[in-house]
């Protein structure tokens, strides 16, 4: 299973998102610190979930980071997160 698929599965299980986008941006970071030739090191995640209702931006970031702790400790070097409740759009 790819890192992107693992990220999708974990975020879906943790937050039952209404919308989820996982974009591998590793090609934009070739030659940078943490980049591997095979990719799957730099990701952008956009997630909309009721689970984030009432949480601050920092709390939502922490929740996503916690759900992906194993990936962040291993293959993922950088993760850009856009996490919102539905009413935030």
């Amino acid at each position: 299973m790819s890192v992107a698929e693992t990220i999708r599965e974990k975020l879906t299980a943790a937050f039952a998102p209404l919308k989820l986008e996982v974009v591998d941006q590793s090609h934009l970071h070739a030659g940078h610190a943490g980049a591997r030739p095979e990719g799957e090191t730099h990701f952008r995640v956009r997630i909309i979930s009721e689970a984030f209702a009432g949480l601050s931006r920092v709390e939502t970031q922490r929740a996503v980071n916690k759900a992906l702790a194993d990936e962040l400790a291993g293959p993922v070097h950088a993760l850009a997160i856009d996490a919102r409740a539905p009413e935030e759009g």
Side-chain angles (χ1 to χ4, degrees):
M1 179 180 313
S2 73
V3 176
E5 289 169 339
T6 300
I7 290 171
R8 271 189 209 89
E9 280 191 7
K10 287 190 171 187
L11 293 179
T12 298
F15 304 111
L18 301 171
K19 182 176 182 181
L20 176 61
E21 296 175 19
V22 178
V23 179
D24 184 351
Q25 297 186 322
S26 301
H27 64 284
L28 301 174
H29 301 276
H32 294 180
R36 293 188 315 267
E38 65 274 14
E40 292 209 306
T41 57
H42 294 71
F43 290 89
R44 173 173 297 282
V45 170
R46 291 187 176 112
I47 181 170
I48 298 175
S49 173
E50 292 287 350
F52 303 133
L55 298 181
S56 71
R57 187 171 146 247
V58 170
E59 289 169 323
T60 60
Q61 301 273 322
R62 286 180 179 159
V64 170
N65 284 336
K66 183 177 178 182
L68 300 176
D70 290 341
E71 288 67 37
L72 291 169
V76 176
H77 176 73
L79 181 66
I81 303 168
D82 179 3
R84 303 165 188 253
E87 65 273 5
E88 297 171 20

